[in-house]
Amino acid sequence: MGSRLPHPVDVRKAVSSFYCGKIESTDTTLVKQYLLSTISNLKGADFSVEYLEGKQSKTGLHYLYRQNYQGKPVYRGTIKINLDKTGNIISLFDNTYHILETPSGEFPNTDDCYDIIKSIYKEENDIVKILIEDLYFDLGPRLIPASRIELWDKGGNFFELIIDAEQMIVYERDMNDYFNNNRVHDVDTPALARVFNPDPLTTAEVSYGTPYEDASDADISQLNMQRQQVTIDVVFENDTFKLESPYCLITEHSIPVVTPVTSLTPAFEFTRSQDGFEDVNAFYHINVYHDYVQQLGFDNIVDYPIWVDTHAMGGADNSNFSSAGGVPKLSFGEGGVDDAEDADVIIHEYGHAISHSAAPNTNDGIERTALDEAIGDYFAASYSKSINSYNWQKVFSWDGHNPFWNGRVVESDKHYPEDLQNNLYKDAELWSSTMMQIMDDIGRERTDEILIEALYSFSLQMSMTDAANLVIAADVSLNGGGYVAPIRYWMCMRGFIPCDVGIDENGISNFNVLNSYGFATRDEQAVIQFNSPQSGTIQLTDVMGRIIFSESFSGSSEYKISPKNLSSGIYLTKVTTQNFSSSYKLMKW
Ligand SMILES: [Zn+2]
């Protein structure tokens, strides 16, 4: 994922709107009708909308729809709409495409797609699952008819290719999907276990170096002494205790083949050189974290037994989350320090599973994917810090920050947007560092509750600014905006959102504001009048910086704002166009 130039479909930004209307009902069919009648890119007989996913959070409903053109999907042409329980639109992310005429050219034929697959795989039985569909794909300057091939192979690879009619691969990427795979266990038995909590360097309060070194997974006594005794709930089946719970299954799904450890007694106490140690370590931390999220009040987050292989990825020094074939799974490599010996790696990967649970099929786009990495880093670092704050700013304290790799930090002074590098791992530091600052200010449980509630509203192609506004909106929904002030402070210090709330209006020669007195006193509309037709966005915020609404306009010479439903106070109107960005204060008496 290094320095290659991002593809236009990854750079594209969804148009976001906040507090932008109300729908009579939260019924998905009525919401669909609403989208067809209000989204300009969906107008006309050639367009239809397909409902893809729905999730319910603590305060609202979150639906993902897909744009179809002449019955075929438009790649990533989506709308994510987030409603409160009465149908108020809290936020909407429009990533649909404007199509004036049918994109020219033919769809690739299926035989060509199979030729491409055959050129990648010599052995047909290396493939587990293939999916081929026709769609319209954005090449940047124009849309083309294309085929999308989704492939899952026995090596655990899961990726998609976009093919044009000339059999050229015009786009490819790793991908994940989501499916609910419930498997119910009814027998839980407590067992004793030994784990690193969160890792041996943090508990010993030392840095990497002799004798605190990997030494090829050897039983160094100083490292083994850092193991802590804990109790885990396991399953007892056919005279055997197994590392299985309703939310985690230790499995063998990725080479090398290492059978999950079992025990004839309720005891799973291993030293770090034993394969069972990593199984127990991952099992323990995943269950603890799942219980924590559930106790925050979220009962549909990773509500299935996730598969976990702690000796995976052919020995690579890497780990991943994948839901290829509809089976969500975590795979931990053993290169360098075994990844599953470090709770930071375990919780980071589990963070991807949490995100996929709350907002499935939305992890597309450069800033959006960086946000997913950042949220995993933040979950890992905040979990670690809650156990032991030694070197809290280092993520992957044991797996990284050593000769094998550098690890990452959650204490960065990078500023948005000028420090973005279009590298999802480096850019992740902006968001994860900000979340740590907010957590230090308002507490971990409160921060996590707000962040997870916001996660349900995440969309494809969204920006970090959008994410900041979603976090603020989540606090308004959950707590009536009780923590908006500290959240806004850190978000604006980082550059995610403007800090100009409450400043005097400046440079408003670009537009006139008419009838501000009627707006203040008589419930009449104020009129923003431009010198020439403009396209851009208008945003109304209260003194706390909470967004009252945010809407786009195009080619307009004026814009009307109604004071209806506003309580008394000062409101900041911010107008942003290609030509200028100005603010104006409106009063409501
Ligand atoms: Zn990651």
Side-chain angles (χ1 to χ4, degrees), residues 501-557:
V501 172
I503 60 156
D504 287 338
E505 52 261 38
N506 49 23
I508 58 158
S509 57
N510 300 303
F511 59 85
N512 291 313
V513 179
L514 307 178
N515 199 30
S516 58
Y517 186 74
F519 181 94
T521 60
R522 295 192 300 266
D523 246 11
E524 293 173 2
Q525 292 180 331
V527 181
I528 311 274
Q529 203 174 56
F530 304 118
N531 301 335
S532 58
Q534 299 290 339
S535 300
T537 57
I538 186 157
Q539 193 177 76
L540 193 74
T541 48
D542 67 10
V543 280
M544 298 290 289
R546 292 184 286 227
I547 298 174
I548 308 299
F549 71 78
S550 170
E551 257 180 56
S552 309
F553 53 87
S554 86
S556 310
S557 49

Side-chain angles (χ1 to χ4, degrees), residues 469-514:
N469 284 324
L470 287 177
V471 168
I472 291 166
D475 181 59
V476 171
S477 298
L478 281 171
N479 307 310
Y483 303 97
V484 161
I487 294 170
R488 258 200 66 80
Y489 174 79
W490 293 112
M491 295 293 188
C492 104
M493 293 300 283
R494 188 68 62 175
F496 294 142
I497 56 173
C499 298
D500 60 0
V501 172
I503 60 156
D504 287 338
E505 52 261 38
N506 49 23
I508 58 158
S509 57
N510 300 303
F511 59 85
N512 291 313
V513 179
L514 307 178

